[in-house]
Every structure is written in structure tokens, then in C-alpha cells.
Amino acid sequence: MPEQNQQKILILDFGAQYSQLIARRVRECHVYSEVKPFSVSLEEIQSFAPAGIIFSGGPGSVYEAGSPHPAEGIYDLGIPILGICYGCQLLAQRFGGEVVPAISGTAREYGKAVTWFDNRCRLFTDLPGESVTWMSHGDLISILPKGFASAAYSAVCPTACIYDELRRLYGVQFHPEVTHTLHGREILQNFLFRVCHCSQGWTMADFRQKTVQSLREKIGDGKVLLALSGGVDSSVAAALLSEAIGSSLICIFVDHGLLRKDEGDEIEAFFSRQKLTFHRVDASRHFLTCLARINDPERKRKIIGEEFIRTFEQEARKIGKVDFLAQGTIYPDVIESGAGSSAVIKSHHNVGGLPDHVAFREILEPLRLLFKDEVRELGLALGLPENLVNRQPFPGPGLAIRVIGEVTQRKLKMLREADAIFREEMEKSGDSRTSGQYFAALTNMRSVGVMGDGRTYEYAVVLRSVKTDDFMTAEWSRLPYDLLERASSRIVNEVEGVNRVLYDITSKPPATVEYE
Ligand code: XMP
């Protein structure tokens, strides 16, 4: 956990899609940051004691009744503030400027805009006078607030930055946190280091050392139970706890038989070598029996979730009393479950929710302050293999929601083989590096084909690859034809029962990434 005196940045979330991204960008500069809802009290802000505050953007307009505003006293704390988009307009309105709707279509800006910077403003120190920024706003500042000057403009936005160097208040109309803003990183760095005078104290090595120490103090000689799913988060949590308490950690890996090719064995091979107690429970037959004749996607998910908890509880009961239950919760889960106030909140039920019948004193969530990329960095530092740490997202219900319709042993086998081939070809060609997620699914469509001299009537596999930042929206990947051809030809030749390969060219929305 960050030390009390470590310099921190507070990000107030006014409902932006980008609040988490701002926090990540700040941490990439080795400065610790947290996202809190805009309505957080003044007392909480004071006790957090940030070196600087960033107001996020948001979907509202500052002049609308009921639009979100921060605690009033925030401006009297003497803490530097950077307002982004809506946050910039809040500063303008609060200090006597005027924010109005951009009435003519041309004064609204969505997308890249050539922007001119005044380098006398500290935010733009050492930057070129002209660059490209990412704009996304329907309102604009028509009258400057008192004591502020303007330090940037674009062809349609006369005030793309307002600032008052004396009170250390800065607002930018564009989004420095998105990569389309060419010098966004430098602008954030100027705020962190030239305005807030932050030091670069946030490193994974430091986090690891302090967290291990605080886990040891807290757990003492108690016992900790962890449900290890084999996903990145629970694996890194296991490795961290193992470093802290060794064999007092008991990991239960419920193998529901719905993992990808060789995955269960890889997990076992790694964790059974570690200094911890590892139980692999092969429940694959049981899960298949429960899923027999079930076609409805939601019922499949529900059955898997319930059976997972039940199996875990059964195993846990054999162990007896444990003191702590550990979970691989990470920071986006914390924010999405209500710590921020973003308009769209993703909710996915993962298998591995909290069991009801396991007696324990407390829950441990050692990764709850880390973003995914930080979790990966920590995993590598803890010696986890790269293929485990860089594993792409994989849904809790596993391959059951990639076999469309009823799940059977035979269908799972076909899918596992086809998926392994596709993933191997993606990795070989290097396209895996630009894809956010890629996998195969097995449709429940059979169609006629011809192989050798004979007619076939077999299943069709569908390949999916998407580009995405946040998985809330995703664009289908324009994969090279020769890669698709290689994958297709290998799948129909090597996977028995498949005679056709399709490629999904639907984005999200209107489709979802998964099929069920
Ligand atoms: P969708 O299909 O909703 O998927 O577009 C978005 C992302 O979430 C993953 N996903 C899940 N993850 N439990 C999970 O842990 C689930 O039930 C689940 N369903 C979808 C999906 O793989 C994609 O990364």
C-alpha cells in the first residue's frame, strides 16, 4: 500500500469514460493516483492529502441544473488542480467565466484537432508551439474566468486551455490522457512535476516489498485460502501471498474442464513447484453432467457459477477453519463497483464470487489498488511465466460460452484444438500483439462439405479477433487474409468434426465480444 507521506494525485470522476485512463497515465509517470467520485467530502480529500487534483471530463454541461460539482471548499485547499474537458469548464464557471453550448456545428469538436500552445504556461513548457490534441466537447468557454489567461487554441476552440499560475489552477479542453493527443504525456508530466512537484515514488518493486511486509504483519501465523482460477489476477495474488507467507497459503484450483488446451496442466505445473499448498480439483465430469442438455446461455453461466462455488466450498470444508479468504480483486473492479461514478458500469459475473459457507475472519485483496498492466508487471517480477502473465482475458464460464448451444465433451475437444491452432497462428504472425482478444468459438451450425471424394456434414468454427481498449466497445480486427487462410486450412485438416471456418466481422456494439 502507498505510504501516508507518498505523493499522490486525486482524480475526481465526473462521469467520464476516461477517469481510469487518467489514473493509469499518472501512475505510468510513477506517481500514485486514485479515482474517487466527484461527491467525495472535503474531509476525505484532506485526509487523502493529494499533491494535486485532476477533475475528469464528464457527459454533463456545467450550466445544467443538477450537474455534478465538487465539494465547494476544494478551491480553498491551495492544492493545484487540473481540469480536463468538463473539469476545465467547471473551473471556468466557478471563477466567473462563461460556458455556453457550441451552437454552430462547427464550434463543436470531436476528434483530432491541430492546437497551438503558449509555452509560457507551465503545462506547455518544453513543448512545440503546435501539436495535435484529441477534443470531444459540445460546450465552450466564451468568457475567460477572472485572473485566468488562455494558453491554447484550435481552429474552432479559442480557449483550449485556461490557467492561473498564481493559484495553480489549470484547465484543458482537450484530453491529454488519450494517446491521440500527441504530447499528452508531457502535458501531464508538466502538471505532476513542474506544478505539483511530485516525486516518482510509485514503483512495483516498492509496492511488492511494502505489501509483502504488511501481509506478513496482518496474517501472522494464520491460514489463507485462495480460489485460484488460473487467470492473471488470482495467479499474481497467489504468487504475492506465497512470497509473503509461504505454505500458510492454500490454493484451490477448481478445474471445471472448460479451460483452453493445456491450460489446467500449465497452472498445476507452475503452482505445484511453488512454496504453497496447491490442490487441483478435477471437477470436469461433474460440470459436464450439470451442463448436459442446457442450451440457454444465461442458464449455462448460472450453473457454472453455482457449481464452482459449491465445489470450492466442499474442498474448503476439508481444510477446516481458515483465517483469511484471499481474492484477486484489482483496481478497475473496485472503481466499477461504485468507487467512481462513470455513466456506464460494466458488470460481469466471474466465477469465484464469495462463498457463503466458508468460515473466515477477513478478506484479503492484496491487488485492489493495481491496474491490470501493473498486476502483469508485478507477476513477471514475482517470476510467473510470461504466457501466464500476458494471458488474454478469458471469461469465468470458460469455453462453455464459446460452444454455442449444448456443451459436450466432443464439442469441447473440437473447440480446444481449433482455438489452439488459431492462437498459435496469431502468435506466429505477430498479429496477437495488436489484438485485444482473439479466440475460436464453435457454432452449432453444421453444413455440407467435400473432403477427398466424400461428402461431409460437420460443424463450423468461427474465429474472432477484436481491437479494444476497455472491452466496452470493440472493433473487429482486419487480419491479413494469408493468416486467416493458414488458420482455416489447418483447422479443417487437423480438427476432426470441423469442415468450415468463418471469420466474424462484427464490432461491439451491436455484437458482444463473446457469443453467449
Ligand atoms: P462481452 O462478451 O460482454 O465481453 O463483450 C467483454 C469482455 O468480458 C469478458 N467476459 C467475461 N469475463 N466473466 C468474466 O470474467 C464473464 O462471465 C464474462 N463474459 C464476458 C469477455 O471475454 C471480454 O473480454
Side-chain angles (χ1 to χ4, degrees):
M1 322 281 133
E3 272 188 353
Q4 282 309 304
N5 61 2
Q6 182 179 306
Q7 285 177 314
K8 301 172 272 189
I9 293 291
L10 172 64
I11 291 136
L12 286 192
D13 180 8
F14 289 89
Q17 297 294 332
Y18 292 134
S19 302
Q20 285 193 37
L21 194 57
I22 304 171
R24 277 175 50 194
R25 294 283 178 255
V26 171
R27 290 194 192 182
E28 280 165 13
C29 302
H30 301 294
V31 177
Y32 183 71
S33 65
E34 278 191 29
V35 180
K36 293 187 189 286
F38 71 89
S39 53
V40 69
S41 70
L42 204 59
E43 291 71 38
E44 202 177 322
I45 296 174
Q46 281 170 308
S47 85
F48 186 71
I53 299 175
I54 299 180
F55 291 173
S56 79
S61 286
V62 290
Y63 46 76
E64 276 167 6
S67 58
H69 286 255
E72 177 51 31
I74 198 167
Y75 302 106
D76 302 324
L77 298 175
I79 300 172
I81 297 177
L82 171 64
I84 295 176
C85 198
Y86 178 90
C88 170
Q89 293 158 7
L90 272 176
L91 287 176
Q93 189 199 46
R94 168 62 179 73
F95 290 96
E98 191 175 61
V99 179
V100 294
I103 300 164
S104 85
T106 51
R108 292 184 189 158
E109 276 182 304
Y110 296 99
K112 288 182 187 173
V114 174
T115 307
W116 288 270
F117 301 139
D118 179 344
N119 302 102
R120 284 170 302 181
C121 170
R122 244 180 257 185
L123 287 185
F124 305 124
T125 305
D126 291 342
L127 258 65
E130 180 187 320
S131 186
V132 171
T133 67
W134 178 260
M135 300 270 191
S136 175
H137 61 104
D139 289 336
L140 56 83
I141 297 166
S142 55
I143 299 175
L144 273 181
K146 289 188 193 71
F148 283 71
S150 166
Y153 63 95
S154 71
V156 296
C157 182
T159 18
C161 170
I162 55 171
Y163 75 111
D164 175 352
E165 213 93 76
L166 219 57
R167 285 180 288 186
R168 298 190 297 171
L169 301 174
Y170 301 81
V172 287
Q173 193 51 74
F174 55 86
H175 289 268
E177 70 279 20
V178 303
T179 47
H180 307 295
T181 296
L182 286 187
H183 292 88
R185 174 185 282 265
E186 287 89 338
I187 293 168
L188 282 177
Q189 282 174 336
N190 279 342
F191 178 68
L192 299 177
F193 304 122
R194 292 183 198 269
V195 177
C196 305
H197 303 292
C198 288
S199 57
Q200 295 181 290
W202 174 247
T203 64
M204 264 318 105
D206 194 43
F207 172 86
R208 173 180 173 182
Q209 189 235 322
K210 286 186 181 131
T211 309
V212 163
Q213 195 184 327
S214 80
L215 283 169
R216 280 185 188 144
E217 281 162 18
K218 180 163 208 168
I219 298 165
D221 50 12
K223 262 203 268 176
V224 181
L225 186 64
L226 174 83
L228 187 62
S229 70
V232 181
D233 306 340
S234 65
S235 298
V236 176
L240 187 64
L241 278 156
S242 153
E243 173 160 290
I245 57 163
S247 52
S248 305
L249 172 66
I250 304 155
C251 295
I252 298 180
F253 167 42
V254 175
D255 183 355
H256 50 23
L258 304 167
L259 294 173
R260 288 163 289 194
K261 192 176 176 189
D262 298 333
E263 216 166 19
D265 295 341
E266 280 167 20
I267 292 159
E268 181 170 3
F270 179 78
F271 283 102
S272 50
R273 282 200 313 270
Q274 306 306 304
K275 205 173 148 243
L276 48 78
T277 313
F278 176 84
H279 297 291
R280 176 175 181 175
V281 188
D282 183 1
S284 47
R285 277 178 139 200
H286 174 67
F287 274 82
L288 265 187
T289 312
C290 295
L291 288 169
R293 289 179 298 284
I294 305 293
N295 284 285
D296 178 62
E298 284 309 304
R299 281 207 61 206
K300 280 191 198 175
R301 282 171 176 273
K302 216 162 175 277
I303 290 170
I304 295 165
E306 273 172 21
E307 291 308 318
F308 185 90
I309 301 283
R310 211 162 290 160
T311 316
F312 179 73
E313 281 177 347
Q314 257 171 26
E315 290 306 307
R317 255 183 248 129
K318 291 183 198 161
I319 290 160
K321 186 162 169 16
V322 291
D323 304 278
F324 300 90
L325 189 75
Q327 296 206 120
T329 314
I330 68 169
Y331 197 43
D333 307 330
V334 175
I335 299 178
E336 282 164 18
S337 63
S341 64
S342 305
V344 184
I345 291 174
K346 191 180 95 180
S347 85
H348 268 306
H349 47 116
N350 206 340
V351 294
L354 274 186
D356 283 337
H357 303 108
V358 179
F360 57 89
R361 213 168 69 213
E362 217 180 303
I363 295 177
L364 296 175
E365 297 176 315
L367 309 178
R368 66 177 281 118
L369 292 176
L370 299 189
F371 284 111
K372 194 79 170 191
D373 40 358
E374 294 172 320
V375 172
R376 291 202 161 106
E377 193 186 332
L378 180 63
L380 287 177
L382 287 161
L384 289 175
E386 215 172 303
N387 62 347
L388 207 160
V389 169
N390 290 325
R391 191 158 276 183
Q392 23 168 340
F394 186 62
L399 297 184
I401 58 166
R402 293 182 183 169
V403 168
I404 300 171
E406 190 187 1
V407 183
T408 63
Q409 190 68 274
R410 178 166 179 257
K411 286 183 173 181
L412 283 173
K413 186 164 183 289
M414 282 191 262
L415 176 54
R416 262 194 204 106
E417 296 301 325
D419 181 64
I421 292 171
F422 181 46
R423 286 189 293 130
E424 191 185 317
E425 290 299 332
M426 285 286 286
E427 277 147 35
K428 262 201 250 161
S429 70
D431 289 281
S432 54
R433 285 197 293 272
T434 49
S435 172
Q437 198 170 2
Y438 53 96
F439 57 88
L442 186 73
T443 71
N444 54 3
M445 177 189 87
R446 287 203 289 167
S447 66
V448 174
V450 52
M451 259 184 176
D453 289 330
R455 173 189 186 273
T456 57
Y457 184 59
E458 316 220 89
Y459 284 99
V461 156
V462 59
L463 306 180
R464 181 110 170 103
S465 169
V466 291
K467 272 169 70 173
T468 176
D469 285 329
D470 55 11
F471 294 93
M472 292 184 206
T473 61
E475 202 186 326
W476 65 275
S477 315
R478 274 63 173 166
L479 293 183
Y481 281 170
D482 52 351
L483 160 70
L484 289 170
E485 185 182 357
R486 267 195 312 277
S488 157
S489 137
R490 278 194 60 195
I491 289 170
V492 288
N493 278 297
E494 295 174 35
V495 185
E496 210 194 310
V498 176
N499 68 352
R500 197 175 285 269
V501 176
L502 315 169
Y503 184 56
D504 188 340
I505 54 165
T506 334
S507 291
K508 171 185 179 177
T512 52
V513 175
E514 302 288 347
Y515 288 85
E516 291 199 328

